[in-house]
Amino acid sequence: MRADAARNLTAVLHAGARLLAEDPGASMAAIAAAAGVDRTTVHRRFANREALLSAVFQAKLDSAERVLDEARLLESPLPVALHRYLEGIIPVSREWPVDMRLMMRKDPAAWTRREEQSARLDAFIRRALGEGYLRAGVDAAWARTILDELVDTAAHRFPDLEPPQAADLVAATLLNGLGAT
């Protein structure tokens, strides 16, 4: 792919993620305008809105996959793995703000990938419980929901927090709010 075509694709995907997060019914023309490209550029690359949405989901999933791999959730010391994950996933959530729950209706293959990634985080939470980083008796599903909500809150309600500081805050809240006494 030529450098300008790659830049245009990146611009379209980011504009699509942003606009579709704000308005799931955003048009291809609006996305093209926000990306600073001609509408025909978008239509040449994506047959329809669903194809663009699928590409946005895949880009977000690719980014999340890299974060999960780099965090080494089951191999690294737990606090280190948690912080690596948070420092990586908060920027991913900001870069790709589109709601992954849309995939249930729009892209079953992407949803399957998301479920695989989710299973990795579930295993991490079970590890945190098993190693005593979270208070005994805390429900794993509850702890996972809290982790996801803390990430979403740090990423979107506190956009001025730099990723390391946001990761510190989320980790401290998760581990001390649910941590062993």
Side-chain angles (χ1 to χ4, degrees):
M1 185 181 295
R2 292 184 344 248
D4 62 329
R7 276 192 306 276
N8 286 346
L9 176 59
T10 299
V12 168
L13 291 174
H14 283 111
R18 189 180 71 255
L19 291 181
L20 291 167
E22 295 167 5
D23 174 12
S27 70
M28 298 278 275
I31 292 167
V37 300
D38 190 71
R39 193 178 63 165
T40 58
T41 300
V42 176
H43 284 284
R44 200 171 30 250
R45 179 78 171 131
F46 303 103
N48 52 43
R49 242 180 109 273
E50 286 69 32
L52 173 59
L53 188 58
S54 179
V56 168
F57 290 148
Q58 292 302 328
K60 183 172 186 170
L61 288 166
D62 290 346
S63 295
E65 188 82 29
R66 280 189 296 278
V67 169
L68 288 166
D69 291 344
E70 291 168 6
R72 300 181 55 233
L73 294 175
L74 300 180
E75 300 84 16
S76 295
L78 194 125
V80 172
L82 176 60
H83 207 277
R84 281 183 188 150
Y85 169 71
L86 294 169
E87 263 194 78
I89 205 65
I90 289 168
V92 166
S93 187
R94 289 174 177 165
E95 181 179 14
W96 304 105
V98 68
D99 186 350
M100 298 299 274
R101 291 172 292 194
L102 291 172
M103 287 186 291
M104 284 190 278
R105 296 184 303 275
K106 303 292 183 184
D107 192 338
W111 183 252
T112 298
R113 267 187 84 194
R114 176 65 185 116
E115 287 298 299
E116 290 166 359
Q117 291 177 3
S118 185
R120 292 172 71 179
L121 287 169
D122 291 343
F124 175 74
I125 290 294
R126 286 191 304 275
R127 176 184 173 208
L129 285 162
E131 292 181 14
Y133 284 95
L134 299 178
R135 187 176 59 239
V138 170
D139 180 71
W142 175 257
R144 172 61 199 288
T145 299
I146 295 300
L147 175 61
D148 291 346
E149 291 299 321
L150 288 169
V151 167
D152 187 67
T153 298
H156 302 292
R157 294 194 60 192
F158 297 92
D160 294 334
L161 272 178
E162 291 296 321
Q165 288 72 36
D168 290 345
L169 183 60
V170 170
T173 304
L174 180 70
L175 296 177
N176 297 329
L178 298 176
T181 53

